[in-house]
Amino acid sequence: MYQLKNLHIVLTYKCNLSCKHCYLNCSPNRSEKIDYTLLASAIENLYETNPLRKISITGGEPLIYPDFLNLVRYCSNFDVELILATNATLMNKDIANGLKDLVDKVYISLDGCCSKTHDKFRNKRGAFNKTVRGLINLRNAGIQTNLTCTISKENINEVPKILEIAYDLAARGIEFRGISSIGRGINCSKINSQELENLLETVSNETSAKSDIYNMKTKKERFDSYPPCVAGFMKASIMPDGAMVPCSAFVNMTKIDNMDYIQKREPSEIWNKPKSKIWNMLRTFPKDIDAKGCRAEALSRGSIYLDLPEANL
């Protein structure tokens, strides 16, 4: 029997930005969102039937979701770690103060050390300044913040300065990721795994006095484990249309797989007996296959069993 420990919720595909590397193809033009009552019922069902430890709320941009604060308050009633992922451009003082004592940590995307780079990544002028302001509002509200930075050839040389920003704004950690070839990321300029590894080693050595706050995962830490990822084993995602999938990165599996929707089946039943062929392939992944990296990206390239040491989603 598999035990769900990490529930990932994609509230909406609508976003105030249109990031060039978004694997979900989110944008201001999207309108899909999950029904609040349906979602609340699903969370309760999964909490009562599994040793749920973590609920992650994201989008799109979750702050756009009409019932965002109601959902956060509802989730805070459960004995779980509650995490929010946001671009922080809409994080004003009132919202930040309203989240105090409700969320355990907030992950914020920062993909450049200045407006020129970050705004280009995010396809929105002024995004960098608004994100930094949102970070400051969260810090002043006493909420733990962590940064995520997606590395490409366009911003790889800015990483040392991005680290300084993280330190100056009192971020508790920063995680670097490569670009996925899913969604709009397929058209982005990527670096290979060795370039990323060399970069992180260099930065780690240069900032050794501050490295305790940085979460710089190496290839070995990220990939030397079985199964290749925990999607479908300990983690599941609920999507804006009510689909329950092993991970949100399998967003395109609706075209090739049997889908389960929380409108039609109890979420706990979906978890215990998924109809999805892909979900069952993940759970029966052969131990003799050396397949590193993101399984959704592997599937997008032709086979869920591909070895992708450079896939760093």
Side-chain angles (χ1 to χ4, degrees), residues 117 121 150-158 179 188-192 195:
T117 307
F121 238 78
T150 303
I151 300 297
S152 75
K153 292 187 182 299
E154 297 175 17
N155 66 358
I156 187 171
N157 293 324
E158 296 187 11
I179 294 178
C188 293
S189 58
K190 303 173 179 63
I191 64 172
N192 60 45
E195 286 178 301

Side-chain angles (χ1 to χ4, degrees), residues 9 11-12 14-16 57-69 84-87 90:
I9 301 169
L11 293 177
T12 178
K14 188 175 184 64
C15 186
N16 59 320
I57 299 173
T58 185
E61 174 47 50
L63 271 64
I64 289 177
Y65 184 69
D67 289 295
F68 168 70
L69 283 176
L84 171 66
T86 172
N87 61 46
L90 305 177

Side-chain angles (χ1 to χ4, degrees), residues 239 241 243-245 250-251 253-255 257-261 275-276:
M239 308 304 289
D241 61 356
M244 186 168 164
V245 295
F250 285 98
V251 62
M253 66 187 274
T254 55
K255 302 176 182 178
D257 197 17
N258 299 320
M259 295 298 297
D260 275 312
Y261 294 88
K275 295 178 181 178
S276 160

Side-chain angles (χ1 to χ4, degrees), residues 117-313:
T117 307
H118 181 83
D119 290 1
K120 184 178 179 181
F121 238 78
R122 299 284 159 177
N123 277 319
K124 185 75 171 181
R125 181 177 295 179
F128 177 82
N129 290 334
K130 290 180 179 179
T131 292
V132 171
R133 189 180 309 127
L135 257 165
I136 293 172
N137 290 335
L138 287 164
R139 181 195 64 188
N140 291 343
I143 298 173
Q144 179 179 326
T145 58
N146 292 63
L147 299 184
T148 59
C149 180
T150 303
I151 300 297
S152 75
K153 292 187 182 299
E154 297 175 17
N155 66 358
I156 187 171
N157 293 324
E158 296 187 11
V159 167
K161 292 183 179 179
I162 293 172
L163 284 166
E164 289 300 323
I165 292 174
Y167 186 78
D168 291 341
L169 294 177
R172 291 291 298 275
I174 182 166
E175 181 174 334
F176 294 95
R177 301 175 178 176
I179 294 178
S180 167
S181 295
I182 303 170
R184 289 197 293 268
I186 194 170
N187 298 315
C188 293
S189 58
K190 303 173 179 63
I191 64 172
N192 60 45
S193 59
Q194 191 58 56
E195 286 178 301
L196 179 60
E197 193 73 7
N198 293 341
L199 172 69
L200 297 188
E201 276 190 30
T202 300
V203 171
S204 180
N205 292 333
E206 291 179 354
T207 61
S208 58
K210 305 173 183 177
S211 62
D212 58 310
I213 74 163
Y214 301 138
N215 176 22
M216 295 185 289
K217 295 183 178 180
T218 65
K219 284 187 299 181
K220 184 175 180 60
E221 291 170 329
R222 188 181 294 276
F223 295 139
D224 284 3
S225 62
Y226 177 87
C229 68
V230 297
F233 288 84
M234 294 184 288
K235 172 186 174 182
S237 298
I238 294 177
M239 308 304 289
D241 61 356
M244 186 168 164
V245 295
C247 172
S248 59
F250 285 98
V251 62
N252 293 319
M253 66 187 274
T254 55
K255 302 176 182 178
I256 57 175
D257 197 17
N258 299 320
M259 295 298 297
D260 275 312
Y261 294 88
I262 61 175
Q263 297 95 323
K264 299 179 180 180
R265 295 178 68 197
E266 286 284 341
S268 57
E269 181 184 351
I270 296 174
W271 175 258
N272 290 327
K273 295 182 179 180
K275 295 178 181 178
S276 160
K277 295 178 181 178
I278 292 172
W279 205 319
N280 287 299
M281 289 171 72
L282 289 169
R283 287 185 172 178
T284 58
F285 204 93
K287 291 187 177 182
D288 60 343
I289 293 181
D290 184 19
K292 302 178 181 68
C294 173
R295 294 301 88 208
E297 177 144 359
L299 184 63
S300 73
R301 298 191 193 184
S303 171
I304 202 168
Y305 301 115
L306 286 178
D307 182 28
L308 300 176
E310 80 283 6
N312 202 16
L313 183 63

